[in-house]
């Protein structure tokens, strides 16, 4: 099979999910409940983080979810950030808490994430929620892998028995993605920078999840014909013309689309689903309160 790669339209999937969430928020309001509320904490001035937070806030507003931004200087002492998280944990008007990563180097991210109440941890990064996912219990699932699973299931239906490879082992994507795929009864390989013969491993896979953060690393020639490719990468690279930059994924898209049956584009694939799943998790957090 060549030249037939069908593009998985993440934007369209996300728009449907967001419309469903907006409906559910309206239904809650008719029943007398207040709007779900998300507290977003942004420390420092990482430009990409500012863009992500702006997009998340706009998506909340559009779905009828209240978002409260807490911006702090890059010099914020760790103890003050901890105190802010604890205050948000106690605040009955806050359903979900999101601390945008990366945090400045002087702050221990693991300590901050562990301090978020598991019932408000809409990113699903706390050890409690990571443990729930790893052991098959209900909890908050990190938004990016959850979005990837949704795209896979709406494209392929049941993925039980499929050979899947996850390239990358981060706590934000790779590890939770592997847990979700295991939960869906796929046969899962987790590859990373120390894996031997990555092309050979990828060649076996019906489902390829690329989450390494290296521009266009996965080549078309590595893929099994007819496979499904989910590209989590968002990498900014110089344009060929030498002027300005463009976004590319972790997969060499044009080559891969010649071999794969289904592939997500960058941008417009996984990214929009991440935000939609954040709204879904926030709605879930509000229902738990
Ligand atoms: N930084 C990059 N991705 C994410 C994410 O999904 N959540 C948070 N909190 N920070 C991030």
């Amino acid at each position: 099979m060549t030249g037939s790669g069908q593009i998985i339209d993440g934007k369209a999937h996300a728009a449907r999910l967001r419309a469903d969430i907006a409906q559910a928020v309206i239904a809650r309001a008719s029943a007398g409940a207040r709007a779900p509320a998300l507290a977003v904490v942004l420390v420092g001035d990482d430009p990409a983080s500012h863009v992500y937070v702006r997009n998340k806030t706009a998506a909340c507003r559009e779905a009828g979810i209240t978002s409260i931004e807490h911006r702090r200087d890059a010099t914020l002492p760790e103890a003050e950030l901890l105190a802010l998280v604890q205050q948000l944990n106690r605040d009955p008007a806050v359903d979900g808490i999101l601390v945008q990563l990366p945090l400045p180097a002087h702050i221990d991210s693991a300590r901050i994430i562990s301090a978020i109440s598991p019932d408000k941890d809409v990113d699903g990064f706390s050890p409690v929620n990571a443990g729930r996912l790893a052991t098959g219990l209900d909890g908050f699932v990190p938004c990016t892998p959850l979005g990837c699973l949704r795209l896979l299931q709406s494209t392929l239906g049941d993925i039980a028995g499929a050979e899947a490879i996850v390239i990358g082992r981060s706590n934000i994507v790779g590890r939770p993605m592997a847990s979700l795929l295991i939960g869906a009864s796929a046969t899962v390989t987790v590859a990373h920078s120390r894996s031997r013969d990555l092309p050979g491993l990828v060649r076996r896979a019906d489902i390829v999840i690329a989450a390494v953060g290296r521009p266009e690393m996965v080549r078309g020639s590595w893929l099994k014909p007819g496979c499904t490719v989910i590209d989590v990468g968002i990498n900014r690279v110089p344009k060929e013309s030498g002027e300005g930059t463009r976004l590319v994924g972790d997969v060499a898209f044009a080559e891969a689309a010649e071999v794969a049956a289904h592939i997500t584009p960058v941008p417009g694939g996984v990214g929009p689903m991440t935000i939609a799943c954040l709204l879904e998790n926030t709605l879930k957090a509000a229902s738990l309160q």
Side-chain angles (χ1 to χ4, degrees):
M1 188 187 317
T2 55
S4 57
Q6 187 194 315
I7 291 177
I8 301 173
D9 188 346
K11 254 170 113 168
H13 278 91
R16 282 194 291 275
L17 187 50
R18 282 163 61 166
D20 289 349
I21 293 160
Q23 278 304 314
V25 170
I26 290 169
R28 271 175 54 97
S30 324
R34 66 160 167 74
L38 174 67
V40 179
V41 180
L42 177 55
V43 184
D45 31 43
D46 179 64
S49 289
H50 277 258
V51 173
Y52 292 142
V53 165
R54 201 182 316 133
N55 292 341
K56 288 170 184 178
T57 308
C60 280
R61 195 178 318 120
E62 203 187 298
I65 294 172
T66 305
S67 80
I68 312 136
E69 274 187 44
H70 298 265
R71 295 185 182 214
R72 296 292 186 272
D73 258 26
T75 55
L76 181 75
E78 183 182 285
E80 287 185 29
L81 182 55
L82 261 181
L84 174 59
V85 167
Q86 283 155 357
Q87 177 213 316
L88 295 169
N89 283 342
R90 287 189 303 267
D91 188 342
V94 169
D95 299 307
I97 301 171
L98 182 153
V99 178
Q100 185 66 27
L101 303 177
L103 289 168
H106 69 277
I107 294 177
D108 180 348
S109 303
R111 185 175 296 159
I112 300 299
I113 288 167
S114 302
I116 298 172
S117 162
D119 290 339
K120 296 189 177 188
D121 171 32
V122 288
D123 260 331
F125 293 165
S126 73
V128 171
N129 281 308
R132 286 172 177 161
L133 176 59
T135 54
L137 296 173
D138 188 38
F140 287 105
V141 175
C143 306
T144 298
L146 183 58
C148 293
L149 184 73
R150 294 272 154 77
L151 289 178
L152 275 176
Q153 289 177 325
S154 63
T155 304
L156 299 174
D158 187 10
I159 60 169
E163 287 262 1
I165 185 163
V166 180
I167 314 172
R169 55 179 160 179
S170 70
N171 289 337
I172 295 183
V173 185
R175 286 170 205 251
M177 188 75 242
S179 293
L180 283 174
L181 289 165
I182 291 168
S185 300
T187 302
V188 183
T189 300
V190 181
H192 44 75
S193 54
R194 303 289 298 272
S195 294
R196 273 181 276 124
D197 188 21
L198 183 58
L201 294 173
V202 171
R203 183 86 190 167
R204 295 192 346 212
D206 307 303
I207 294 168
V208 178
I209 314 273
V212 266
R214 296 195 30 203
E216 301 179 319
M217 188 187 81
V218 176
R219 310 308 309 190
S221 61
W222 296 9
L223 300 171
K224 174 161 141 180
C227 71
T228 296
V229 177
I230 305 288
D231 189 349
V232 181
I234 303 178
N235 308 290
R236 203 163 270 291
V237 297
K239 277 191 182 151
E240 281 81 1
S241 67
E243 271 181 47
T245 59
R246 65 193 178 102
L247 288 182
V248 297
D250 291 347
V251 179
F253 180 83
E255 291 174 20
E258 291 286 313
V259 185
H262 308 277
I263 182 165
T264 59
V266 177
V270 172
M273 287 300 286
T274 296
I275 293 189
C277 289
L278 172 66
L279 303 182
E280 186 182 333
N281 280 353
T282 303
L283 179 62
K284 175 171 167 169
S287 321
L288 285 178
Q289 291 287 308

